[in-house]
């Protein structure tokens, strides 16, 4: 399994563990994370949840091969696709979510951070949202949350050009809580998670609900809208060209598409 989970002193750690594929996330990995988050909601032993990657890579985002071969399909079961289950759980989690991000955090590796309460990044973290470059569109309500956070024009550059930005910039724009040396990142994030685990769970739950609750309907509606477009674009010739280009290690050519 390429997701490792463990519970220690009230903290559930969900760790990407697929370094040979840059922690790219398959449907099975989304399912494992969605299940872990769902179980954590009802488990009094879990008082905070920490997402980790490796020092060299947080995650390369969706596994492009898995996505192309087993795309989340439209229809009655669309919301049941593992990726959408994960996005639902992460956006509805009532317990504190923390992330320790080092190295590249691509696509959902960055959008999932919009749903975390504390985001710690190492000096080597590189965030990117290359959805348009892949013939796709934003997900995880990032088309709503990122413009709110950055202002429309700065969000447009991130979501349309998809260029990577570093931890300092992510800190300046408010997407990252604190930037740390790579060697201190995980221990610091773990210490903060333990501090949260020692606080009254009900107060943290209410604090989070009060800060986020008013947005929930809008976030849910935007995720559904994005999901429908994303599923359609996954089948598009532009996405097929982008995915093929990645695996053939060449530049994609979109000029023949209108
Ligand atoms: N899906 C599937 N496989 C992926 C992947 C992804 N998203 N990202 C990396 N891999 C695989 C590569 O195909 C390669 O496999 P191989 O060794 O069998 O050839 C391996 O992981 C190493 O990747 P590589 O590109 O050589 O590593 P790198 O250090 O040069 O670059 C990244 C790391 C993350 C910058 C780069 O892999 C990348 O841009 N990945 C794609 C990110 C992406 O577009 N994600 C989708 C967002 S929706």
């Amino acid at each position: 399994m390429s997701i490792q989970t463990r519970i220690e002193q009230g903290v559930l750690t969900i760790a990407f563990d697929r370094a040979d594929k840059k922690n790219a996330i398959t449907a099975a990995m989304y399912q494992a994370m969605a299940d872990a988050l769902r179980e954590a909601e009802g488990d009094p032993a879990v008082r905070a949840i920490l997402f980790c990657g490796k020092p060299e890579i947080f995650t390369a985002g969706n596994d492009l091969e898995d996505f192309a071969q087993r795309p989340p399909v439209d229809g009655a079961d669309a919301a049941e696709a593992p990726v959408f289950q994960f996005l639902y759980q992460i956006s509805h989690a009532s317990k504190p979510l923390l992330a320790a991000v080092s190295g590249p955090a691509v696509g959902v590796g960055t959008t999932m951070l919009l749903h975390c309460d504390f985001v710690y990044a190492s000096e080597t973290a590189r965030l990117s949202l290359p959805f348009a470059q892949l013939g796709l569109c934003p997900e995880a309500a990032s088309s709503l949350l990122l413009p709110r956070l950055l202002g429309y024009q700065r969000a447009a550059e991130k979501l349309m050009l998809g260029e990577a930005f570093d931890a300092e910039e992510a800190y300046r724009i408010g997407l990252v809580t604190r930037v740390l040396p790579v060697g201190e990142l995980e221990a610091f994030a773990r210490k903060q998670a333990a501090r949260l685990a020692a606080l009254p769970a009900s107060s943290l739950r209410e604090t989070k609900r009060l800060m986020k609750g008013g947005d929930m309907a809008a976030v849910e509606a935007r995720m559904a809208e994005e999901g429908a477009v994303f599923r359609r674009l996954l089948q598009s010739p532009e996405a097929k060209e982008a995915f093929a280009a990645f695996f053939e290690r060449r530049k994609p050519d979109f000029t023949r598409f209108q």
Side-chain angles (χ1 to χ4, degrees):
M1 179 38 87
S2 313
I3 295 291
Q4 302 289 342
T5 59
R6 66 175 195 277
I7 301 173
E8 266 169 9
Q9 294 170 338
V11 179
L12 166 66
T13 301
I14 300 181
F16 298 113
D17 188 21
R18 196 183 176 217
D20 60 324
K21 294 288 182 188
K22 303 289 166 181
N23 288 343
I25 309 172
T26 59
M29 291 164 71
Y30 278 121
Q31 190 66 60
M33 292 194 290
D35 292 346
L37 289 167
R38 193 181 299 107
E39 282 163 28
E41 275 296 315
D43 184 351
V46 176
R47 299 170 70 88
I49 298 162
L50 172 63
F51 289 98
C52 296
K54 306 280 182 200
E56 67 280 10
I57 178 91
F58 184 60
T59 170
N62 293 311
D63 183 302
L64 295 175
E65 195 178 347
D66 193 62
F67 236 43
Q69 283 172 4
R70 279 173 287 276
V73 285
D74 263 322
D77 295 338
E80 287 308 306
V83 58
F84 296 118
Q85 286 187 48
F86 169 69
L87 294 178
Y88 179 88
Q89 291 298 331
I90 199 170
S91 58
H92 285 73
S94 68
K95 299 183 182 184
L97 300 180
L98 303 92
V101 183
S102 189
V106 186
V108 71
T110 290
T111 58
M112 65 181 277
L113 306 179
L114 292 163
H115 300 280
C116 291
D117 303 294
F118 297 8
V119 179
Y120 297 115
S122 82
E123 291 157 346
T124 62
R126 305 267 307 157
L127 285 68
S128 59
L129 301 154
F131 299 112
Q133 285 61 34
L134 292 164
L136 301 172
C137 71
E139 34 82 311
S142 56
S143 65
L144 175 74
L145 298 174
L146 210 66
R148 270 195 198 167
L149 189 63
L150 274 66
Y152 178 89
Q153 280 76 4
R154 284 197 291 174
E157 199 178 57
K158 303 276 179 270
L159 284 171
M160 291 185 186
L161 284 181
E163 281 168 4
F165 51 105
D166 64 16
E168 272 308 324
E169 185 177 353
Y171 173 74
R172 270 201 316 276
I173 63 184
L175 183 52
V176 154
T177 313
R178 197 183 289 227
V179 182
L180 295 139
V182 65
E184 295 172 23
L185 176 71
E186 197 173 318
F188 184 83
R190 210 164 276 294
K191 191 178 82 185
Q192 297 296 79
R195 288 178 64 192
L196 286 165
L199 288 169
S202 55
S203 290
L204 294 177
R205 209 165 36 241
E206 292 300 343
T207 303
K208 184 165 173 167
R209 189 185 62 74
L210 287 163
M211 286 201 292
K212 294 196 145 200
D215 281 346
M216 204 48 93
V219 165
E220 238 175 72
R222 184 60 61 92
M223 285 205 307
E225 191 180 348
E226 289 172 344
V229 181
F230 197 98
R231 285 191 292 274
R232 175 168 58 76
L233 291 178
L234 254 183
Q235 308 296 336
S236 69
E238 289 90 335
K240 290 191 168 57
E241 163 62 7
F243 287 29
F246 174 72
F247 288 111
E248 290 161 19
R249 296 187 181 265
R250 62 173 172 81
K251 261 181 159 338
D253 176 9
F254 299 122
T255 55
R256 63 183 186 279
F257 308 119
Q258 286 303 307

